[in-house]
Amino acid sequence: MKYKQIVFDIDGTLIDNEKAIICSLQDTLLKKSGKQFSYEQLTFALGIPGEDALERLAVEHITETMQVWIEKMRQYEDTVSVYEGIEELLKQLSEEGYGLGIVSSRTREMYEQDFCKLDISRYFTTVVCADDTVGHKPTADPLLKYMELSKAAEHEVIFVGDSIHDSQCAQNAGVDFALAVWGSHTEDKRADYYLQKPADLLSVIAEEK
């Protein structure tokens, strides 16, 4: 098989938590600054580390504000769900012997708090979070770190993500990229493959065997 490691972004790829991210950020900014932001004004925060989003918003006391955001996000847990077809996909890939991993803009704390309690977390053996590298998406650093940990070469890795930051990270690392159209809302991003649904990935890797 060509690909040995199949790497996934989390937010907008494995789980649908857009509402939780944006609404909790709205609440956080209102509490800390008294300013109200529209949903659309904050969608830029999807797919990048929370600290980077707060920095772009010129927020003071970023570390403290980040903790408030994490706490606020817990209030929206009931709006978060695993995308349909993801668990079946991961089960089949695991049974077929592929290495499964994560490259996420989440901090390790956020990863362990929210993602590790989901059943699908058990499928992933290699995980790179935002605090594992100096550079974040869209730089190549997260995927380069993943390849270092998994001992995989560029041509043996395919990255599945939903954002322009994911696409650029893969491109910069020399790794093939598959766009999770179900979470991206648009196909207007550079990708080697466009996946309309999770099961489409099986056809992609079957062609590359």
Side-chain angles (χ1 to χ4, degrees):
M1 61 180 71
K2 175 183 177 181
Y3 299 120
K4 295 182 179 178
Q5 294 287 328
I6 302 178
V7 189
F8 294 84
D9 173 52
I10 294 176
D11 306 318
T13 301
L14 296 173
I15 64 173
D16 182 3
N17 62 344
E18 179 180 308
K19 182 178 179 180
I21 292 171
I22 301 301
C23 291
S24 59
L25 180 54
Q26 286 177 313
D27 293 349
T28 300
L29 295 171
L30 183 60
K31 177 179 180 177
K32 298 297 289 184
S33 68
K35 297 179 181 177
Q36 288 188 317
F37 290 81
S38 70
Y39 195 97
E40 290 71 26
Q41 284 178 302
L42 299 178
T43 54
F44 78 90
L46 299 169
I48 62 174
E51 288 86 352
D52 292 357
L54 295 177
E55 190 172 321
R56 290 194 198 182
L57 289 161
V59 169
E60 297 180 358
H61 311 298
I62 287 179
T63 300
E64 177 187 322
T65 304
M66 193 69 210
Q67 289 305 312
V68 174
W69 189 1
I70 291 171
E71 291 167 11
K72 292 287 186 184
M73 207 175 301
R74 292 194 183 108
Q75 299 172 14
Y76 292 91
E77 285 183 350
D78 61 342
T79 69
V80 178
S81 61
V82 176
Y83 282 109
E84 184 177 353
I86 285 294
E87 184 155 14
E88 293 83 357
L89 171 66
L90 297 176
K91 184 175 185 294
Q92 183 164 344
L93 292 174
S94 179
E95 289 173 350
E96 291 184 9
Y98 291 96
L100 301 180
I102 295 283
V103 165
S104 174
S105 294
R106 290 173 175 238
T107 62
R108 181 69 58 170
E109 178 186 4
M110 293 179 71
Y111 170 78
E112 292 177 351
Q113 173 188 296
D114 298 324
F115 188 73
C116 286
K117 66 185 179 185
L118 300 175
D119 287 344
I120 62 170
S121 65
R122 61 193 169 95
Y123 289 106
F124 300 101
T125 54
T126 305
V127 177
V128 175
C129 294
D131 32 10
D132 294 323
T133 57
V134 175
H136 303 133
K137 302 171 189 178
T139 76
D141 287 16
L143 277 172
L144 294 179
K145 182 66 174 180
Y146 184 94
M147 288 186 281
E148 175 190 330
L149 293 173
S150 64
K151 297 179 172 53
E154 290 93 335
H155 67 276
E156 296 174 325
V157 176
I158 183 169
F159 185 36
V160 184
D162 67 294
S163 75
I164 185 67
H165 312 290
D166 296 326
S167 172
Q168 291 171 344
C169 178
Q171 188 172 10
N172 290 332
V175 166
D176 285 351
F177 179 67
L179 181 69
V181 176
W182 60 85
S184 70
H185 309 301
T186 176
E187 294 185 22
D188 189 24
K189 297 180 178 74
R190 179 207 161 272
D192 298 287
Y193 308 100
Y194 295 87
L195 312 177
Q196 300 298 327
K197 59 185 183 300
D200 290 347
L201 182 61
L202 298 172
S203 301
V204 168
I205 60 176
E207 292 172 4
E208 298 296 337
K209 283 184 178 179

